[in-house]
mmCIF file of all heavy atoms in Angstrom:
data_model
loop_
_atom_site.group_PDB
_atom_site.id
_atom_site.type_symbol
_atom_site.label_atom_id
_atom_site.label_comp_id
_atom_site.label_asym_id
_atom_site.label_seq_id
_atom_site.Cartn_x
_atom_site.Cartn_y
_atom_site.Cartn_z
ATOM 1 N N PHE P 11 6.746 28.199 4.593
ATOM 2 C CA PHE P 11 7.552 28.218 3.364
ATOM 3 C C PHE P 11 7.800 29.655 2.893
ATOM 4 O O PHE P 11 7.455 30.044 1.809
ATOM 5 C CB PHE P 11 6.880 27.369 2.277
ATOM 6 C CG PHE P 11 6.603 25.965 2.695
ATOM 7 C CD1 PHE P 11 5.346 25.465 2.913
ATOM 8 C CD2 PHE P 11 7.692 25.083 2.883
ATOM 9 C CE1 PHE P 11 5.101 24.159 3.290
ATOM 10 C CE2 PHE P 11 7.481 23.754 3.299
ATOM 11 C CZ PHE P 11 6.201 23.328 3.505
ATOM 12 N N HIS P 15 12.997 26.321 1.229
ATOM 13 C CA HIS P 15 14.485 26.242 1.135
ATOM 14 C C HIS P 15 14.957 24.776 1.108
ATOM 15 O O HIS P 15 14.176 23.858 1.171
ATOM 16 C CB HIS P 15 15.121 27.018 2.307
ATOM 17 C CG HIS P 15 14.658 26.643 3.684
ATOM 18 N ND1 HIS P 15 14.922 25.424 4.217
ATOM 19 C CD2 HIS P 15 13.957 27.321 4.614
ATOM 20 C CE1 HIS P 15 14.404 25.348 5.425
ATOM 21 N NE2 HIS P 15 13.758 26.510 5.722
ATOM 22 N N ARG P 45 2.370 31.956 14.788
ATOM 23 C CA ARG P 45 3.497 32.821 14.507
ATOM 24 C C ARG P 45 3.023 34.086 13.730
ATOM 25 O O ARG P 45 1.908 34.088 13.282
ATOM 26 C CB ARG P 45 4.549 32.030 13.684
ATOM 27 C CG ARG P 45 3.965 31.194 12.577
ATOM 28 C CD ARG P 45 4.967 30.343 11.906
ATOM 29 N NE ARG P 45 5.962 31.215 11.312
ATOM 30 C CZ ARG P 45 7.186 30.795 11.034
ATOM 31 N NH1 ARG P 45 7.562 29.526 11.308
ATOM 32 N NH2 ARG P 45 8.065 31.565 10.484
ATOM 33 N N ASP P 108 11.207 21.762 16.161
ATOM 34 C CA ASP P 108 10.734 23.043 16.693
ATOM 35 C C ASP P 108 9.257 23.180 16.633
ATOM 36 O O ASP P 108 8.643 23.817 17.495
ATOM 37 C CB ASP P 108 11.418 24.228 15.924
ATOM 38 C CG ASP P 108 11.190 24.177 14.408
ATOM 39 O OD1 ASP P 108 11.361 23.053 13.820
ATOM 40 O OD2 ASP P 108 10.855 25.146 13.827
ATOM 41 N N ARG P 133 16.344 18.801 14.085
ATOM 42 C CA ARG P 133 16.748 20.001 13.332
ATOM 43 C C ARG P 133 17.919 20.653 14.031
ATOM 44 O O ARG P 133 17.873 20.792 15.264
ATOM 45 C CB ARG P 133 15.531 20.912 13.268
ATOM 46 C CG ARG P 133 15.627 21.973 12.289
ATOM 47 C CD ARG P 133 14.387 22.787 12.165
ATOM 48 N NE ARG P 133 14.709 23.917 11.310
ATOM 49 C CZ ARG P 133 13.920 24.893 11.006
ATOM 50 N NH1 ARG P 133 12.673 24.843 11.449
ATOM 51 N NH2 ARG P 133 14.303 25.894 10.253
ATOM 52 N N ILE P 175 19.945 19.520 8.199
ATOM 53 C CA ILE P 175 20.295 20.626 7.271
ATOM 54 C C ILE P 175 20.081 21.964 7.943
ATOM 55 O O ILE P 175 18.960 22.306 8.349
ATOM 56 C CB ILE P 175 19.411 20.535 5.995
ATOM 57 C CG1 ILE P 175 19.661 19.143 5.355
ATOM 58 C CG2 ILE P 175 19.792 21.658 5.010
ATOM 59 C CD1 ILE P 175 18.562 18.747 4.421
ATOM 60 N N ALA P 179 14.185 29.569 7.203
ATOM 61 C CA ALA P 179 13.627 30.637 6.377
ATOM 62 C C ALA P 179 13.926 31.974 7.004
ATOM 63 O O ALA P 179 14.224 32.960 6.286
ATOM 64 C CB ALA P 179 12.123 30.382 6.233
ATOM 65 N N SER P 180 13.895 32.027 8.373
ATOM 66 C CA SER P 180 14.176 33.333 8.973
ATOM 67 C C SER P 180 15.589 33.803 8.694
ATOM 68 O O SER P 180 15.821 34.973 8.415
ATOM 69 C CB SER P 180 13.839 33.326 10.497
ATOM 70 O OG SER P 180 14.312 32.146 11.021
HETATM 71 P P1 ATP E 1 11.294 30.142 10.112
HETATM 72 O O1 ATP E 1 12.781 30.203 10.150
HETATM 73 O O2 ATP E 1 10.655 31.360 9.510
HETATM 74 O O3 ATP E 1 10.667 29.694 11.393
HETATM 75 P P2 ATP E 1 11.366 27.508 8.826
HETATM 76 O O4 ATP E 1 12.689 27.434 8.163
HETATM 77 O O5 ATP E 1 11.196 26.803 10.113
HETATM 78 O O6 ATP E 1 10.897 29.020 8.980
HETATM 79 P P3 ATP E 1 8.699 26.689 8.020
HETATM 80 O O7 ATP E 1 8.047 26.858 6.682
HETATM 81 O O8 ATP E 1 8.189 27.447 9.118
HETATM 82 O O9 ATP E 1 10.274 26.999 7.766
HETATM 83 O O10 ATP E 1 8.785 25.145 8.395
HETATM 84 C C1 ATP E 1 7.839 24.209 7.951
HETATM 85 C C2 ATP E 1 8.211 22.870 8.634
HETATM 86 O O11 ATP E 1 9.452 22.472 8.219
HETATM 87 C C3 ATP E 1 8.253 22.974 10.164
HETATM 88 O O12 ATP E 1 7.723 21.803 10.718
HETATM 89 C C4 ATP E 1 9.778 23.063 10.444
HETATM 90 O O13 ATP E 1 10.097 22.533 11.659
HETATM 91 C C5 ATP E 1 10.336 22.189 9.276
HETATM 92 N N1 ATP E 1 11.694 22.590 8.870
HETATM 93 C C6 ATP E 1 12.058 23.822 8.351
HETATM 94 N N2 ATP E 1 13.358 23.820 8.101
HETATM 95 C C7 ATP E 1 13.855 22.611 8.453
HETATM 96 C C8 ATP E 1 15.181 22.015 8.474
HETATM 97 N N3 ATP E 1 16.253 22.672 8.034
HETATM 98 N N4 ATP E 1 15.261 20.773 8.958
HETATM 99 C C9 ATP E 1 14.178 20.084 9.379
HETATM 100 N N5 ATP E 1 12.942 20.572 9.408
HETATM 101 C C10 ATP E 1 12.736 21.836 8.984
#
Side-chain angles (χ1 to χ4, degrees):
F11 303 110
H15 54 66
R45 46 185 298 157
D108 55 314
R133 195 175 170 183
I175 302 160
S180 43

